[in-house]
Amino acid sequence: PPLEVDGIDKLNTNNAEIFNTTMQKTATWMSKGGIDEEWDAYCKQLDSIGLQESTKIWQKWYDTYTK
């Protein structure tokens, strides 16, 4: 079945923010280090910008598709 568009706008917004955040943090950690000290805060930041919400949308689509 085709994917429903419910949630697509939110997913697009969340993914853009998640991508920008992960790219920035990856570059910082590669050049300056600090991943061990910053990891927990980084995970919380990802959740605050919609990682869990995006995961739920993808899971809903997966569950619908695999039925």
Side-chain angles (χ1 to χ4, degrees):
L3 294 177
E4 60 184 69
V5 294
D6 180 40
I8 193 76
D9 291 334
K10 190 63 177 167
L11 189 65
N12 286 337
T13 300
N14 288 354
N15 285 348
E17 290 185 51
I18 291 165
F19 178 79
N20 290 336
T21 300
T22 57
M23 295 308 292
Q24 180 181 30
K25 273 298 187 189
T26 300
T28 299
W29 289 334
M30 290 177 72
S31 64
K32 298 179 183 176
I35 191 170
D36 291 329
E37 298 81 17
E38 298 176 8
W39 184 256
D40 290 339
Y42 170 69
C43 290
K44 288 178 184 176
Q45 182 181 13
L46 290 178
D47 284 343
S48 75
I49 60 176
L51 179 63
Q52 295 302 319
E53 184 177 29
S54 292
T55 301
K56 287 178 184 177
I57 293 169
W58 280 113
Q59 187 65 52
K60 179 181 171 186
W61 290 351
Y62 176 80
D63 291 346
T64 300
Y65 179 75
T66 58
K67 284 185 181 178

